[in-house]
Amino acid sequence: MLEARLQSQQRSSQNGRETSLWSSGFGMKLEAVTPFLGKYRPFVGRCCQTCTPKSWESLFHRSIMDLGFCNVIQVKEENTRFRGWLVRRLCYFLWSLEQHIPPCQDAPQKVVESTGVQNVIPGRAPGGAGEGQVPSHVKREVQRILGHIQAPPRPFLLRLVSWALLRILNCLFLNVQLHKGQMKMVHKAAQAGSPLVLLSTHKSLLDGILLPFVLLSQGLGVLRVAWDPRTCSPILRALLKKLGGLFLPPEANLSLDSSEGVLARAVVHAAVEQLLVSGQPLLIFLEEPPGAQGPRLSALGQTWLGLVVQAVQVGIVPDAMLVPVAMTYDLVPDAPRDTYHASAPLGLWTGALAVLWSLRGWGCSRRACVRVHLAQPFSLHEYTVNARSCWGSRQTLEQLLQPIVLGQCTVVPDTEKVQEWTPVTRPLLALKEEDQLLVRRLSCHVLNACVASSAVMSTAIMATLLLFKHQKLLGEFSWLTEETLLRGFDVGFSGQLQCLVQHTLSLLRPHVAVLRVQQGDLLVVLRPGPGLAHLARLSSEVLPAFLSEAVGACAVWGLLVGRVLPEGPWELQGIELLSQNQLYHQILLLLHLLPQDLLLLQPCQSSYCYCQEVLDRLIQCGLLVAEETPGSRPACDTGRRRLSAKLLWKPSGDFTDSDSDDFEEAEGRYFRLSQQSRCPDFFLFLCRLLSPLLKAFAQAATFLHRGQLPDTESGYAEQLLRFLEATAQEEGFFECVDPNLAISAVWTFRDLGVLQQMPSPAGPMLHLSPTFASRDNQEKLERFIRQFICD
């Protein structure tokens, strides 16, 4: 249990006396503290200046930062052309009628006449119809496949669904916020004449319905959404296609030499080409559907993105504007666990019951907030021309880390890690190998932009404080919000501090207990059990803002753990000198160990550049201070520094040190931990942000001699999850009891060479590697992981 007293801030008046935040019960007094918000709110979502410099400059103007937010679901009389008391009661209906829905008739005949389909037809009808004619049975087959993919949107149905959604969303959410400046950037990109392709994260099944509604209300027309057919029943698929949905036909995943698969892929290519030529916006989800246990990057999303990339490369359209999109919720209002499962498709009636359950269960007191983030658009053609990667040579995780784990060597190879967890689908296999690599790197690049532009919600900040900070909630809530804003990440809330804390605790009521202990004081107690894993998932939304510092803090802890006692005083640990090369080495080890799905490093940034960024962040936040050795020139003395005789200019990707041109100068540079009073708590807070993942990996190493092998990947992950649950019951640490963490541990150990995948009649099976069959090597692996865990 965690106890945290909610105390009030000091008033800004001269008396400076503290006032009570809470009156009797959960009520509040009239005194309010207006914090930080509005002063340092950053404008997030700028595109990569390295890969797309022209888009970075042309599609942004500094004046759009001051346009503010709008609540998309707040429709009043002023949003219609009419006025009067009757309009105020029918404003939702009138608003839906006034939405501009441009004609977007699908053209089956153009698909049949496309070059790709015409090239496949002779193989389907040898010696059939005459030259230039399409056999009737082949035409019917093309129309059948096209019917699986899409259907003409129905304007009446779109207006009816928009009206119903407006009423439902106002019952579910307090607001759906959208930045007007971000919307202005998207409108400016749409006016350039290139089709818009929105690439989004996937936090909820509601995203595919909410995003088209938001963009339709902002005048972008009907958004065509690429849905996953596994998540929808046939009836729901038919309805979504009439609302603009797209589905990949099942024949597209057949083998490359199958005639049905070749025709289906040609029809899909032609349909996407016609959609881009017509200028209709397209939405692609880059993440797997919520609840799916597997890699973060979606194989289906990469398939649709590959079709767009190929259409631009062959010249069907000269360019396409890519828009990273993200949705963030206080709490995701998905269906309950006994209603929706990731392995079962969502039916129409099931979805309706889920909506009714959400409306009944949430109530007015638990309505959450939503933020829609539209990052700066950038040119796909410009990216394909300028895309570059620092991955000159790449090695597997087994080649990089296994010798170091076993103590066979201490030098980390000067190469990048290759870690591809997302399977490649048949349509993507039809592309060239370099195009496949381009699509994978582009997906990582866009997903990084989506995460960087996502706002941190109040529930994520509160869950992080409850799990890792263990101090006064009111003051720490303000502190963590300011730290998030100062790191260039936005927050998805504003208002008075007392209201924010009260609203957030009400949303987290199933997982916390709020007790009144004294006059004006409250006791917040975490409910022990599986609910802590839910709080850990919420707190993971804060991690991207502090990821560099968290990696650096865990690396520093790994250096100190072998020198001083972990329970020793901070002053004793601050005596130790840490060389820059040692810090680089330790950070690299941790970067290679952490999954790529968590780090989401940009392909244009090497690991060594990221190491320097981590070190710079530790210095900027005040955790590390430079130690000047006697007789040496101070590190800040650049006036007498001579230019390097070896190289006067280096490309930005070749810098290994931010202060000098010669890497050898870093060998004599040392740092020590700062002795400021706030540093010990902040250091432990950063280390604990990565503790759920690292502890899951350490428990997986402990489980090696207990697991039943051989087994399938899913079966062994289920074994590991049960072991994590049993261990959590004993130790009370439920944060690492997560199916995704268990799968990440299994896949990381497979890449590390701890587990080996071998074919069998029943399918691929996991076996324990002979190298790690001995308990000695298993203990070495566990020690290697636990050196980064700060208890």
Side-chain angles (χ1 to χ4, degrees):
M1 294 191 302
L2 170 66
E3 299 182 0
R5 297 179 61 186
L6 292 175
Q7 299 181 349
S8 64
Q9 299 277 333
Q10 291 185 351
R11 296 180 60 183
S12 58
S13 59
Q14 295 180 355
N15 56 14
R17 63 184 180 86
E18 294 186 354
T19 58
S20 174
L21 169 64
W22 310 101
S23 60
S24 60
F26 227 149
M28 295 185 301
K29 292 188 176 181
L30 295 179
E31 290 85 8
V33 178
T34 303
F36 44 79
L37 300 180
K39 294 183 179 180
Y40 309 110
R41 184 184 293 275
F43 186 84
V44 297
R46 298 296 302 274
C47 62
C48 180
Q49 192 175 9
T50 303
C51 300
T52 52
K54 293 182 180 179
S55 300
W56 186 87
E57 182 178 2
S58 62
L59 296 177
F60 175 80
H61 193 273
R62 193 161 298 276
S63 62
I64 68 177
M65 300 171 59
D66 304 325
L67 294 180
F69 293 88
C70 67
N71 184 9
V72 179
I73 61 175
Q74 186 179 9
V75 176
K76 298 181 179 180
E77 178 185 2
E78 292 77 11
N79 300 108
T80 67
R81 295 180 299 165
F82 309 99
R83 297 294 181 268
W85 67 270
L86 185 59
V87 175
R88 288 192 290 271
R89 287 155 178 79
L90 300 176
C91 58
Y92 288 2
F93 177 73
L94 295 175
W95 175 86
S96 62
L97 291 179
E98 292 181 357
Q99 294 306 305
H100 174 64
I101 301 179
C104 48
Q105 295 291 332
D106 298 312
Q109 187 62 30
K110 292 183 179 180
V111 172
V112 175
E113 296 174 354
S114 64
T115 305
V117 175
Q118 289 293 326
N119 293 336
V120 177
I121 286 178
R124 299 282 297 178
E131 183 179 356
Q133 298 180 357
V134 181
S136 58
H137 70 281
V138 177
K139 189 174 182 178
R140 287 194 301 268
E141 181 70 12
V142 171
Q143 292 177 347
R144 184 190 65 82
I145 296 174
L146 190 60
H148 278 288
I149 300 173
Q150 62 186 8
R154 301 291 193 266
F156 172 76
L157 188 59
L158 283 167
R159 299 184 192 278
L160 180 63
V161 171
S162 298
W163 170 78
L165 269 179
L166 196 55
R167 302 194 66 87
I168 294 174
L169 293 176
N170 274 280
C171 296
L172 284 178
F173 304 115
L174 285 173
N175 52 61
V176 178
Q177 296 289 339
L178 174 66
H179 198 284
K180 298 178 183 177
Q182 295 177 350
M183 198 67 237
K184 186 174 182 179
M185 287 193 304
V186 176
H187 276 296
K188 186 176 180 180
Q191 293 171 1
S194 299
L196 290 178
V197 179
L198 293 89
L199 306 173
S200 174
T201 57
H202 206 177
K203 301 297 183 183
S204 168
L205 293 175
L206 192 61
D207 293 349
I209 299 176
L210 183 55
L211 274 173
F213 168 81
V214 170
L215 297 181
L216 177 64
S217 66
Q218 299 301 312
L220 280 183
V222 180
L223 183 64
R224 310 304 297 267
V225 184
W227 288 88
D228 189 347
R230 298 173 300 173
T231 62
C232 307
S233 65
I235 298 179
L236 186 58
R237 282 201 299 268
L239 175 63
L240 292 176
K241 280 189 288 188
K242 294 179 181 179
L243 296 175
L246 301 174
F247 292 90
L248 204 64
E251 296 88 351
N253 285 318
L254 297 177
S255 60
L256 296 180
D257 55 355
S258 170
S259 58
E260 291 82 2
V262 172
L263 179 61
R265 285 188 287 273
V267 175
V268 172
H269 275 277
V272 172
E273 292 170 359
Q274 292 300 321
L275 187 146
L276 295 176
V277 169
S278 64
Q280 302 178 50
L282 173 64
L283 173 63
I284 299 173
F285 291 108
L286 290 181
E287 288 184 326
E288 286 290 344
Q293 300 177 9
R296 184 172 186 176
L297 279 173
S298 169
L300 183 64
Q302 292 191 20
T303 299
W304 287 103
L305 182 56
L307 296 173
V308 175
V309 170
Q310 193 172 26
V312 173
Q313 286 183 338
V314 299
I316 300 297
V317 288
D319 197 2
M321 303 304 296
L322 303 184
V323 185
V325 183
M327 302 279 294
T328 51
Y329 302 82
D330 277 336
L331 290 179
V332 178
D334 269 346
R337 292 182 180 272
D338 56 350
T339 305
Y340 166 70
H341 299 276
S343 59
L346 182 64
L348 187 60
W349 288 109
T350 307
L353 290 176
V355 172
L356 293 177
W357 176 86
S358 299
L359 293 175
R360 176 181 179 273
W362 280 53
C364 295
S365 62
R366 294 195 62 205
R367 287 194 297 168
C369 302
V370 186
R371 276 285 298 274
V372 181
H373 315 275
L374 302 174
Q376 183 179 3
F378 63 92
S379 167
L380 175 58
H381 176 72
E382 182 185 8
Y383 179 85
T384 56
V385 173
N386 297 333
R388 65 187 185 91
S389 176
C390 297
W391 294 343
S393 60
R394 300 195 294 171
Q395 292 183 358
T396 63
L397 189 61
E398 180 178 359
Q399 297 170 327
L400 289 172
L401 279 189
Q402 190 181 104
I404 299 176
V405 170
L406 300 178
Q408 298 173 356
C409 73
T410 58
V411 180
V412 184
D414 187 12
T415 57
E416 299 296 326
K417 175 181 67 174
V418 52
Q419 191 175 57
E420 303 293 347
W421 285 357
T422 304
V424 181
T425 59
R426 299 290 183 182
L428 200 59
L429 281 175
L431 301 180
K432 299 179 182 178
E433 186 176 355
E434 56 269 21
D435 293 336
Q436 297 178 26
L437 184 60
L438 175 65
V439 171
R440 288 197 295 267
R441 293 180 178 179
L442 178 58
S443 302
C444 293
H445 211 298
V446 174
L447 190 57
N448 176 277
C450 294
V451 173
S453 63
S454 300
V456 180
M457 307 303 285
S458 60
T459 50
I461 289 182
M462 183 62 71
T464 304
L465 294 176
L466 291 173
L467 289 175
F468 306 127
K469 205 64 177 72
H470 304 278
Q471 290 188 8
K472 305 172 185 177
L473 286 182
L474 188 60
E476 297 297 345
F477 191 95
S478 174
W479 166 81
L480 187 55
T481 303
E482 288 180 347
E483 293 291 334
T484 303
L485 292 171
L486 291 175
R487 280 161 176 78
F489 282 76
D490 199 2
V491 293
F493 52 89
S494 62
Q496 297 174 347
L497 188 58
Q498 293 94 327
C499 297
L500 291 174
V501 173
Q502 180 192 21
H503 172 71
T504 306
L505 289 177
S506 66
L507 291 176
L508 299 178
R509 188 178 303 171
H511 311 293
V512 299
V514 182
L515 307 175
R516 182 166 176 259
V517 291
Q518 292 180 5
Q519 183 68 28
D521 291 330
L522 293 177
L523 184 69
V524 180
V525 182
L526 288 177
R527 302 182 188 272
L532 296 179
H534 177 73
L535 293 179
R537 285 191 291 271
L538 286 175
S539 67
S540 63
E541 298 178 7
V542 179
L543 182 58
F546 297 88
L547 182 58
S548 298
E549 291 98 325
V551 170
C554 291
V556 171
W557 179 264
L559 287 177
L560 293 176
V561 73
R563 303 184 184 183
V564 295
L565 295 176
E567 62 274 10
W570 181 262
E571 293 77 8
L572 182 61
Q573 297 175 355
I575 297 177
E576 294 294 325
L577 290 180
L578 308 173
S579 71
Q580 184 162 327
N581 284 345
Q582 290 175 337
L583 289 170
Y584 279 163
H585 178 268
Q586 202 73 4
I587 293 172
L588 270 179
L589 291 180
L590 185 55
L591 285 180
H592 290 326
L593 177 65
L594 294 176
Q596 188 66 31
D597 285 358
L598 172 70
L599 295 173
L600 289 179
L601 296 182
Q602 292 182 347
C604 57
Q605 184 182 28
S606 68
S607 296
Y608 280 90
C609 290
Y610 189 74
C611 286
Q612 184 58 51
E613 179 184 336
V614 169
L615 187 57
D616 290 342
R617 288 290 187 92
L618 292 178
I619 297 173
Q620 291 170 5
C621 69
L623 286 179
L624 288 183
V625 293
E627 177 68 18
E628 306 293 349
T629 57
S632 64
R633 186 176 71 247
C636 59
D637 184 10
T638 59
R640 294 175 296 171
R641 181 169 296 168
R642 295 175 296 177
L643 292 176
S644 172
K646 299 179 181 178
L647 190 61
L648 295 178
W649 177 255
K650 292 184 179 182
S652 60
D654 293 337
F655 280 113
T656 54
D657 184 75
S658 61
D659 294 330
S660 68
D661 289 331
D662 295 328
F663 181 73
E664 289 79 6
E665 289 190 17
E667 296 180 359
R669 187 169 302 165
Y670 291 87
F671 300 90
R672 67 170 70 250
L673 290 175
S674 174
Q675 296 302 310
Q676 298 180 16
S677 59
R678 68 176 185 87
C679 287
D681 289 338
F682 187 47
F683 180 82
L684 294 179
F685 167 74
L686 292 175
C687 290
R688 288 167 181 164
L689 289 178
L690 288 174
S691 59
L693 175 67
L694 293 175
K695 285 189 176 182
F697 282 16
Q699 293 291 344
T702 307
F703 183 67
L704 286 176
H705 69 280
R706 303 183 184 183
Q708 302 296 324
L709 290 174
D711 198 354
T712 61
E713 283 186 354
S714 59
Y716 188 73
E718 185 64 29
Q719 291 186 48
L720 177 58
L721 181 61
R722 290 196 298 267
F723 176 74
L724 293 177
E725 292 174 349
T727 307
Q729 293 290 343
E730 299 174 0
E731 301 179 357
F733 191 84
F734 289 87
E735 288 87 334
C736 62
V737 183
D738 192 323
N740 289 325
L741 293 182
I743 292 178
S744 296
V746 172
W747 287 353
T748 301
F749 283 11
R750 181 195 61 190
D751 296 343
L752 188 56
V754 179
L755 302 173
Q756 293 181 344
Q757 195 173 48
M758 298 182 181
S760 70
M765 305 290 287
L766 287 180
H767 297 257
L768 186 61
S769 170
T771 306
F772 288 89
S774 65
R775 290 293 300 274
D776 184 41
N777 288 342
Q778 294 176 9
E779 292 175 357
K780 289 180 180 179
L781 174 63
E782 186 175 357
R783 284 196 301 270
F784 174 80
I785 298 173
R786 288 194 180 276
Q787 68 175 325
F788 302 108
I789 302 176
C790 177
D791 293 328

